[in-house]
Amino acid sequence: MTGWRPALARSVVLRHDRVRRADLLVLPERVVILGGRAADVLRLCDGRRQVGDIVDELAARFPGAPVAAEVPRFLDRVREEGWLR
Amino acid sequence: MTSPPPPWALLAELTHSCPLHCPYCSNPLELVRRSRELSAEKWADVLRQAAELGVIHTHLSGGEPLLRPDLAAIVAAAESAGIYTQLVTSGVGLSAPRMSALASAGLRSVQLSVQHAGPAASDRIAGYRSFAAKEQAAAVVRDAELPLGLNVVLHRDNLDAVDAIVDLGVAWGAERIELANVQFYGWALHNRTALLPTRDQLSRARETVESRRQQLAGTTELVWVVPDYFDGVAKPCMGGWGAVSLTVAPDGGVLPCPAAGALPDLEVPNVRDRSLEWIWNSSPAFNLYRGTEWMSGPCGGCPRRETDFGGCRCQAHALTGDAARTDPACALSPDHALVRALAEAPPDDLPPDDARRYVYRGPRPARRERSRG
Ligand code: SF4
Ligand code: SF4
């Protein structure tokens, strides 16, 4: 994990859906509707920021949220799905 | 009337022309001629309207969409409307320059059809020498770093080769292999006797796919689309009539399902006359079998009616002559005996790999004669 700069996989698009008022991950054969703050986290996965940078930014934006504990785990799960590289 | 939930996907049948002649092709028997196809400008307009309506995905399909020289412009229009594009192709015509033009226009992924694991058998089923082009197309997609899906329609003539088909997909670099048991509409209904598998074949193939799926977990996704007729359950066709997706035919006709053009009483709305919004929300065609209100017979009071939506309207029509009846594939349907009889019928005498068993897809013979005279 050290040094990992998460970025969305090539075939994955993160977008807001104005019609359904939802954030989506769009893949070749499926659409994932993102709940909670998932889109806020994934929007920071630009291939430049390291996991630590992402945690710091989110911690500043959402004081008191359990960012340091949850965000790295979330990113790992999304990588296991093949949606982050 | 409250408007129905917005559609997620649009299947764009850009042309019915195709160099291949697959005997199970889902295109209608009456193919749209090239002179009646929508222009690229009209497709751009349709895709803009679709995005406004809520469409997220479009499958650019056919026929063979690569036969349209303006395909890249259509891809670019979808991309600029914010719609995720997937090309559904036979692979014929997908050269490296073509691929890079499509990728720079914004194409996101490619689904390639294959008819069998071996060149000779694949070409025989397609009725056209195309296997080498498919192999090359797969390489070109890989080089462009786009995700590749392989799409194989399974039937009596290739179900025994399912293991080799999976090997082929893995060797060609597919991320996803869709093993879709043939569904009996369009040309497949016409060729049902030749295509109908045996129960033994199906259960062997199902076991193979199960073990390959475990073996490939995490690398290649295997999708098994269940067969018609054999399981006693109705499939949730299209996720419900007018519920998830819409199909735009080459001439601009809009259908709730690619096979629905075969329903005789359906008044097919057209994007040349009406907005997509009106077609989706208000047209009689899209409201005919929407929801559960139209149901009668066993579906009306059935707890599964919100899960399978009473099955497939086109199948009900093909087998019973009445599209509003319960899908005979369901064991609760009073017409289920029709499906059982088909599933248990002994196979015909010709060997499964005898090309004489097929009526290949193409312009209808009657029309061909007419145009000659
Ligand atoms: S199923 Fe075969 S004939 Fe029909 S459009 Fe696809 S490749 Fe062409
Ligand atoms: S009776 Fe109708 S709703 Fe019930 S399982 Fe059969 S097809 Fe589905």
Side-chain angles (χ1 to χ4, degrees):
Chain A
M1 157 98 57
T2 39
W4 181 32
R5 299 172 193 272
L8 287 176
R10 265 190 64 98
S11 57
V12 177
V13 175
L14 170 65
R15 59 163 287 193
H16 183 71
D17 177 353
R18 271 186 295 130
V19 176
R20 298 177 185 80
R21 298 205 181 89
D23 292 308
L24 308 176
L25 268 192
V26 190
L27 298 110
E29 300 288 345
R30 96 184 74 156
V31 177
V32 180
I33 302 175
L34 297 171
R37 296 273 167 217
D40 290 314
V41 181
L42 292 176
R43 237 171 247 124
L44 297 176
C45 297
D46 55 3
R48 287 192 302 263
R49 293 174 167 86
Q50 295 201 1
V51 176
D53 305 331
I54 295 174
V55 168
D56 291 347
E57 277 196 54
L58 290 167
R61 218 190 301 165
F62 305 108
V67 170
E70 283 180 7
V71 168
R73 243 187 292 148
F74 169 75
L75 292 174
D76 269 344
R77 269 206 328 270
V78 180
R79 175 156 67 173
E80 265 163 44
E81 291 284 353
W83 305 336
L84 278 178
R85 59 189 157 98
Chain B
M1 194 175 70
T2 59
S3 38
W8 288 96
L10 183 148
L11 172 65
E13 291 181 345
L14 299 178
T15 178
H16 277 164
S17 290
C18 184
L20 280 63
H21 306 283
C22 307
Y24 53 74
C25 183
S26 61
N27 286 166
L29 297 183
E30 206 59 72
L31 299 167
V32 171
R33 271 165 288 163
R34 301 222 62 179
S35 57
R36 299 189 23 91
E37 290 174 4
L38 297 181
S39 65
E41 294 75 55
K42 189 62 202 175
W43 276 112
D45 172 43
V46 169
L47 290 161
R48 257 191 316 272
Q49 293 186 49
E52 253 164 58
L53 201 54
V55 166
I56 302 294
H57 259 150
T58 186
H59 287 75
L60 302 169
S61 177
E64 175 48 67
L66 291 167
L67 287 178
R68 289 203 55 142
D70 50 11
L71 179 59
I74 296 171
V75 170
E79 173 67 14
S80 75
I83 299 180
Y84 189 103
T85 47
Q86 178 168 70
L87 177 69
V88 183
T89 177
S90 70
V92 175
L94 194 57
S95 61
R98 195 84 199 274
M99 181 73 254
S100 85
L102 294 171
S104 9
L107 187 70
R108 300 277 179 183
S109 69
V110 178
Q111 204 186 97
L112 176 67
S113 73
V114 151
Q115 282 65 21
H116 202 290
S122 185
D123 292 352
R124 168 171 49 74
I125 295 169
Y128 185 76
R129 197 173 284 195
S130 49
F131 188 85
K134 290 169 187 291
E135 185 164 20
Q136 207 213 327
V140 159
V141 175
R142 243 187 359 249
D143 290 347
E145 292 181 15
L146 256 61
L148 173 70
L150 211 66
N151 176 352
V152 191
V153 174
L154 296 177
H155 45 85
R156 184 153 161 239
D157 197 349
N158 64 7
L159 263 166
D160 295 337
V162 85
D163 207 23
I165 291 171
V166 171
D167 286 338
L168 182 86
V170 172
W172 285 7
E175 293 185 0
R176 181 176 188 274
I177 305 174
E178 182 172 315
L179 302 159
N181 281 283
V182 61
Q183 311 203 321
F184 295 109
Y185 321 110
W187 291 87
L189 185 58
H190 213 49
N191 280 293
R192 184 170 59 195
T193 318
L195 297 171
L196 200 68
T198 66
R199 201 175 278 280
D200 280 352
Q201 265 188 313
L202 278 170
S203 56
R204 279 195 307 267
R206 199 183 313 233
E207 271 172 37
T208 307
V209 171
E210 214 20 76
S211 70
R212 296 303 304 265
R213 183 179 287 136
Q214 285 171 18
Q215 179 215 342
L216 293 170
T219 57
T220 312
E221 184 186 1
L222 292 191
V223 180
W224 169 261
V225 179
V226 300
D228 278 354
Y229 295 2
F230 288 89
D231 291 343
V233 294
K235 59 171 178 279
C237 190
M238 303 303 292
W241 185 272
V244 177
S245 94
L246 41 87
T247 297
V248 182
D251 61 357
V254 189
L255 295 162
C257 145
L263 301 178
D265 301 328
L266 200 72
E267 229 181 277
V268 180
N270 196 296
V271 292
R272 295 189 211 258
D273 316 319
R274 292 288 199 159
S275 73
L276 212 57
E277 188 272 329
W278 180 86
I279 292 172
W280 178 260
N281 289 325
S282 310
S283 71
F286 275 78
N287 284 297
L288 195 51
Y289 303 117
R290 195 171 244 157
T292 53
E293 236 136 77
W294 57 275
M295 291 177 178
S296 58
C299 296
C302 179
R304 282 186 51 79
R305 69 182 186 278
E306 304 278 358
T307 320
D308 66 23
F309 317 103
C312 167
R313 298 305 89 225
C314 304
Q315 183 147 282
H317 172 258
L319 295 177
T320 73
D322 178 0
R325 286 178 79 80
T326 293
D327 184 340
C330 174
L332 301 174
S333 152
D335 308 307
H336 187 57
L338 293 169
V339 158
R340 287 195 67 97
L342 287 164
E344 306 307 337
D348 60 16
D349 296 335
L350 289 170
D353 62 350
D354 189 321
R356 281 174 301 167
R357 301 168 70 242
Y358 297 133
V359 179
Y360 284 102
R361 175 208 124 121
R364 289 184 115 172
R367 169 171 296 170
R368 225 182 265 153
E369 272 150 36
R370 242 185 280 138
S371 65
R372 238 188 262 135

